[in-house]
Amino acid sequence: MSTETPASLRVAPRPDDPRLTRGVTGHDQNGAPVDLRVVEERPLTIYLNAREIVTAMTIGDHPEWLGLGFLVNQGMVRAADTVTGIDYDQELATVVVRTAVETDHEAKLARATRTSGCAVGTVFGDMMAGLEGLTLPATPLKVADLQALSTAINRTPSLYLEAGAIHGTCLCHGAEPLAYFEDVGRHNAVDKLAGWMRSEGVAAGDKTLYTTGRLTSEMVIKCALMGIPSLVSRSGFTAWGVEIARQVGLTVIGRMKGARFVCLSGAERVVWDAA
């Protein structure tokens, strides 16, 4: 399959970055030696002002956006909070997000390790509470755009194509992918995207979030709280994820492979314009 980075991408994966993969040797099913690249994992400790919040296992790119996006998606840095700086120390593997006024969310998380399996959820109740009264824009979602996005994203040079064992998340507008992030955990990838959107002032109401991960309750909640009205995945659903999506009016499409998909929420927003 030929690969090409779409011209619309403002942030693209970095499959050629030597820091993100490592060469290893092994043997195939016939016992023959093989050389391949595998994805790196390294810890990153996130601070909110002087408070240590969590240690995430990540591939190591975009640490500033990951730190900010994690705090935004966990409700610890809100829209009204002024971010005065983000300091990343590569040697200490830390990122410190600073706000003008100390927030009341800094004690929400005790010291913990967030694994590559995305073991979050310690502030799940707060995230659920954030959905109360939430109204998402009724932005149409064209099937023809979905098919174009699927082709463009799958053909974009990525760590997934280079080494596998990684999740991807892409913010899209219509048929154009805008920012594509990867990480060992699907939530890390979404958090990087949220940090980028907050830093760049990117509007969410007319966008689509594409992810390779499962459409679980927490993924649905994150997408809704980010204000993105459509969530698309090549993976499957959980029942609670579908239930929450229907409650908040989020369009959710899963099992997307080529021209095939299943829509379990928000079908009234889908424009069935493809043959």
Side-chain angles (χ1 to χ4, degrees), residues 126-151:
D126 293 329
M127 294 175 69
M128 283 289 291
L131 296 178
E132 296 179 5
L134 177 69
T135 301
L136 293 171
T139 305
L141 184 62
K142 296 181 178 181
V143 172
D145 288 347
L146 287 178
Q147 294 177 354
L149 286 173
S150 179
T151 299

Side-chain angles (χ1 to χ4, degrees), residues 15 31 48 115 164 270:
L48 177 55
T115 71
V270 177

Side-chain angles (χ1 to χ4, degrees), residues 66-116:
L66 174 56
L68 175 59
F70 174 83
L71 297 172
V72 167
N73 278 341
Q74 296 296 322
M76 305 177 96
V77 171
R78 300 190 183 277
D81 294 323
T82 300
V83 176
T84 58
I86 305 176
D87 301 319
Y88 170 59
D89 189 308
Q90 183 175 359
E91 184 175 349
L92 297 177
T94 60
V95 61
V96 181
V97 178
R98 306 184 189 280
T99 56
V101 178
E102 184 170 312
T103 74
D104 60 353
H105 296 281
E106 293 180 37
K108 291 281 186 179
L109 288 178
R111 184 176 181 178
T113 296
R114 183 184 179 202
T115 71
S116 56

Side-chain angles (χ1 to χ4, degrees), residues 52-65:
E52 179 180 338
I53 302 298
V54 71
T55 296
M57 298 305 297
T58 173
I59 60 176
D61 67 341
H62 307 303
E64 294 91 348
W65 288 337

